[in-house]
Amino acid sequence: MDLDPRQYDNVAINDNDIHSIVLSYLIHNCYKESVESFIACTGTKQPSDYLEDMDKRKRIFHFALEGNALKAIELTEQLAQNILENNKDLQFDLLSLHFVELVCSRKCTEALEFAQTKLGPFGKETKYMEKLEDFMALLAYNEPEKSPMFHLLSLEYRQQVADSLNRAILAHLNLPSYTAMEKLIQQATVVRQCLSQEAGKDGPPSFSLKDFLKS
């Protein structure tokens, strides 16, 4: 059987460590008001370097999430100059968001022109060809949201691009691109998986983070 979660009850965890983990998550996701309230309630030391560009990151994140990629690109270049020139994958993803918005607005001629001028150059590299074909295929459907490529129009896809952009900006600003909570979960998951593999077939079942969080 797997370990009984009650065995962890007596493990002492420093409150300051917990506060740092929570604060890291709030700052990463640009919850400025929550950060200020949390600091006031817990007396945690305010990390001024993290807060400095939070409002700008929040605006960029929301523009990307809403599909207003050109505005997100403009503000990104103001905050982190040349970041997109040095990250072609992210640049392609943001430009593709604008293409999708044009398609969804039924501005097909404008979308085609944008694809030719802005997305076309990426076609010189093999790794972008399949993505380009999927995006261009959207133009063939009167209702692109019902096409096989409907996921490219989804909130989940925009969320993925917005998250990648946020991480890239944080890294550019020499700030952690992943929260302390994410790192802890990743490390705990790897450790538990390794322990399960070492124990072999007679050991506990393969570790499932989802099941563990339910326990």
Side-chain angles (χ1 to χ4, degrees):
M1 295 179 63
D2 203 356
L3 293 175
D4 187 339
R6 289 174 295 183
Q7 294 183 31
Y8 312 134
D9 290 346
N10 296 325
V11 177
I13 301 177
N14 189 290
D15 285 346
N16 289 333
D17 291 337
I18 296 175
H19 294 164
S20 295
I21 291 170
V22 174
L23 192 59
S24 168
Y25 176 82
L26 295 175
I27 291 173
H28 179 95
N29 290 288
C30 305
Y31 298 137
K32 186 174 182 179
E33 292 181 0
S34 297
V35 168
E36 293 172 344
S37 297
F38 187 79
I39 289 174
C41 291
T42 61
T44 305
K45 183 179 179 181
Q46 179 171 325
S48 56
D49 56 337
Y50 279 37
L51 297 172
E52 184 176 351
D53 297 307
M54 191 185 301
D55 286 333
K56 296 177 182 178
R57 283 196 299 112
K58 184 175 182 178
R59 290 187 67 202
I60 292 169
F61 180 88
H62 282 290
F63 277 126
L65 192 62
E66 293 165 1
N68 191 344
L70 295 187
K71 190 63 177 179
I73 290 172
E74 176 188 341
L75 295 179
T76 297
E77 289 296 344
Q78 292 175 9
L79 178 61
Q81 193 173 14
N82 298 326
I83 185 175
L84 297 179
E85 288 185 16
N86 298 325
N87 191 333
K88 293 298 183 182
D89 290 349
L90 184 55
Q91 184 181 35
F92 176 85
D93 288 340
L94 284 167
L95 292 173
S96 70
L97 285 187
H98 181 64
F99 174 81
V100 166
E101 286 304 301
L102 292 174
V103 172
C104 290
S105 300
R106 305 301 189 263
K107 299 178 180 179
C108 294
T109 301
E110 190 175 341
L112 182 58
E113 292 175 351
F114 180 82
Q116 290 173 335
T117 57
K118 299 298 184 180
L119 295 177
F122 288 90
K124 298 176 182 178
E125 297 186 44
T126 305
K127 67 176 181 177
Y128 297 114
M129 280 302 300
E130 186 175 348
K131 284 186 175 182
L132 270 173
E133 290 171 358
D134 286 344
F135 282 112
M136 295 304 295
L138 292 171
L139 292 171
Y141 294 87
N142 292 326
E143 297 179 280
E145 61 276 4
K146 294 182 180 180
S147 72
M149 290 71 65
F150 69 92
H151 63 282
L152 297 174
L153 284 63
S154 67
L155 175 61
E156 289 76 15
Y157 180 72
R158 296 197 301 275
Q159 177 82 48
Q160 177 184 330
V161 176
D163 284 338
S164 296
L165 177 57
N166 188 42
R167 295 188 198 284
I169 292 173
L170 285 166
H172 181 86
L173 298 174
N174 294 317
L175 298 173
S177 54
Y178 287 87
T179 67
M181 188 181 301
E182 288 174 299
K183 291 178 181 178
L184 278 172
I185 291 174
Q186 289 169 344
Q187 291 174 2
T189 300
V190 170
V191 169
R192 291 295 299 274
Q193 287 174 341
C194 288
L195 289 174
S196 295
Q197 291 172 1
E198 287 182 1
K201 62 180 181 180
D202 296 326
S206 298
F207 175 67
S208 167
L209 177 62
K210 183 177 179 180
D211 292 339
F212 177 76
L213 293 175
K214 289 180 179 178
S215 62

